[in-house]
Amino acid sequence: MTTLAFLLLMVVGLPIGLILCIAALVFIFETGNPLLLDSYPLKLFSSLDNFGLLAIPLFILIGELMNGAGITTRLVRLAAAFVGALKGGLAYINLLANMMVASILGSATAQIAMMSQVMVPEMQRAGYDKGFAAGLTAFGGLLGPIIPPSIVFVVYAVLAQVAVRDMLLAGILPGLLLTTLFILTVAGLGWRYNYPRGEKLSWRARFAALRDALPMLTIPFVIIGTIVGGFGSPTEAAAIGAVVATGIGMVYTRSLKLRDFPVILLRTGLSSALVLFLVAAAGVFSWVLIFGQVPQTAAAWIQSVATTPVAFMLLVLVLLLIVGTVIDGIPGLIMVVPILLPIATQVYGIHPLHFGVVVSVNLILGLLSPPVGIGLYVAASVSGVSAMRVFYVAIPFFLVACMALVVLALVPWLSLALVGG
């Protein structure tokens, strides 16, 4: 009955947070246990009783401040100054700018929307196919939830009860791996299709672009440096980053005005409420799953299919790629972690940070996979092309992302090297 209600509500198109809450209620009524109903509100609110979750609204605030401060344009100019003259220079600029924005923003959909507005028209004017430009920008947005700061990693850390600091550090090398593979893909496509070169700038112009963007680059260094250096928690680092972003926007670029703050804070509050409601709903849903012994049942089935940790990880990749095509990002994370994490750690001895990176990247890829693929629709909507066209022309990047996912699954060192694992 609970499964039927869940699927029916999903078909209807109800928001995933409400689906999780209603499915939990259906399960409670199905069991006929009034004590579970009494505990329902307590579980709903206690799921948010975690200091690490304070990092989420602060990271979102940094992204909003960055939008208002004109930081994105300067980062694009910095990337253009150093790689614009290469064959396919604008494609390299797109990826490198995405990587730098990802180190500040931490949200895939927001990054795809922002960078599509900036990069797609520019690439189209230079002679690139509009669909390719939108697809490249969409897959560049895949870096957003992987390179710290990352809202997805914060949510996973809370669900898995691991240190937020360690989870954020675990994403640095995977993010660099994906960026490198995407750059190599652009290089191959550039020679195959003879992409145009951009203007070669003098070293004086390059240093001028670096000087203009240098204050913006202090934001990720401040955040990551605070965390790695042990000067503060991720939440405190995010707060410091928000102060730095405010200072840059008001004093350096002078694009940020006091009158902008009410709108910025309102957008931050709405986005934060959405994410935190999903976390609260996840707490209730996880609670009923454990009560219904779903993880134990799933463990028994998985153990009968996968006999080794490698087989288990490959099975997870296939299952989550399927899940990711209909449920993406944080909602998918919320649904699968309570079931799969105990199996991964207790049955197969997989490190929770390594598992978190693999699961997060796997589900984030769902943002760019049909039929749902919110990231595809965002890029397509902003760029004025069909979502399937965006996906079709970006298939090389999808295949490269899948290859990187397999490497991350089979090589734990990439996720654990920076946290001493």
Side-chain angles (χ1 to χ4, degrees):
M1 185 66 180
T2 304
T3 305
L4 181 62
F6 185 91
L7 295 175
L8 182 62
L9 292 172
M10 186 172 291
V11 170
V12 170
L14 208 63
I16 188 66
L18 290 177
I19 292 175
L20 294 173
C21 289
I22 294 171
L25 279 174
V26 170
F27 177 83
I28 290 172
F29 284 116
E30 195 175 356
T31 60
N33 189 337
L35 293 177
L36 291 178
L37 192 59
D38 291 339
S39 301
Y40 185 94
L42 179 63
K43 289 293 181 182
L44 192 64
F45 286 99
S46 65
S47 302
L48 299 177
D49 186 17
N50 189 300
F51 179 73
L53 289 175
L54 280 175
I56 291 175
L58 290 169
F59 284 146
I60 293 173
L61 176 60
I62 290 173
E64 293 292 345
L65 290 169
M66 188 181 76
N67 283 338
I71 290 175
T72 308
T73 305
R74 292 174 184 249
L75 292 178
V76 170
R77 284 205 296 264
L78 174 62
F82 287 92
V83 298
L86 299 174
K87 186 182 288 290
L90 268 178
Y92 289 109
I93 292 168
N94 194 329
L95 282 176
L96 289 180
N98 261 301
M99 185 182 74
M100 289 186 284
V101 171
S103 68
I104 303 171
L105 198 56
S107 169
T109 49
Q111 183 169 327
I112 290 170
M114 183 196 314
M115 296 302 293
S116 294
Q117 291 173 338
V118 175
M119 292 304 307
V120 173
E122 195 69 30
M123 292 183 71
Q124 189 180 11
R125 280 193 292 270
Y128 291 84
D129 176 75
K130 187 194 285 189
F132 170 77
L136 175 63
T137 305
F139 276 87
L142 182 66
L143 304 172
I146 301 172
I147 297 177
S150 167
I151 295 171
V152 172
F153 282 177
V154 172
V155 172
Y156 174 84
V158 172
L159 292 174
Q161 297 184 335
V162 296
V164 175
R165 169 190 177 275
D166 291 346
M167 195 63 223
L168 293 177
L169 291 177
I172 294 177
L173 290 182
L176 294 176
L177 172 66
L178 268 175
T179 304
T180 302
L181 290 176
F182 284 168
I183 287 174
L184 292 174
T185 304
V186 166
L189 292 173
W191 288 106
R192 171 69 176 81
Y193 296 106
N194 197 28
Y195 289 152
R197 298 176 184 270
E199 179 187 358
K200 186 175 182 179
L201 300 180
S202 66
W203 280 104
R204 175 176 290 182
R206 292 177 181 178
F207 282 118
L210 179 61
R211 181 195 62 224
D212 289 343
L214 203 56
M216 290 70 180
L217 297 177
T218 61
I219 300 175
F221 280 113
V222 164
I223 294 172
I224 297 172
T226 302
I227 296 171
V228 175
F231 301 112
S233 68
T235 302
E236 293 160 342
I240 296 170
V243 172
V244 173
T246 302
I248 290 172
M250 296 189 72
V251 178
Y252 185 74
T253 68
R254 298 185 180 179
S255 301
L256 202 58
K257 308 296 182 185
L258 284 175
R259 64 175 178 269
D260 299 327
F261 279 86
V263 175
I264 287 174
L265 294 175
L266 177 62
R267 285 202 298 257
T268 300
L270 291 173
S271 300
S272 302
L274 178 62
V275 175
L276 293 174
F277 177 70
L278 284 172
V279 175
V284 172
F285 193 68
S286 303
W287 170 57
V288 298
L289 286 179
I290 293 169
F291 186 86
Q293 296 189 327
V294 172
Q296 294 89 326
T297 305
W301 177 79
I302 289 174
Q303 281 183 274
S304 67
V305 176
T307 56
T308 65
V310 171
F312 168 75
M313 291 297 280
L314 294 177
L315 178 62
V316 165
L317 293 186
V318 175
L319 290 175
L320 294 191
L321 198 58
I322 296 171
V323 170
T325 61
V326 291
I327 304 172
D328 49 71
I330 293 174
L333 199 68
I334 284 166
M335 289 178 57
V336 303
V337 168
I339 298 174
L340 294 179
L341 181 62
I343 302 171
T345 56
Q346 297 169 20
V347 177
Y348 295 97
I350 296 169
H351 198 290
L353 295 177
H354 173 216
F355 188 71
V357 169
V358 172
V359 169
S360 299
V361 175
N362 210 158
L363 288 170
I364 292 164
L365 195 55
L367 285 168
L368 305 170
S369 305
V372 177
I374 292 175
L376 290 178
Y377 288 100
V378 170
S381 174
V382 174
S383 308
V385 293
S386 71
M388 286 308 298
R389 169 68 178 163
V390 172
F391 177 76
Y392 175 74
V393 297
I395 283 178
F397 296 98
F398 180 78
L399 295 177
V400 165
C402 290
M403 182 177 72
L405 195 55
V406 173
V407 172
L408 290 175
L410 300 182
V411 185
W413 180 87
L414 288 168
S415 303
L416 303 177
L418 297 182
V419 291

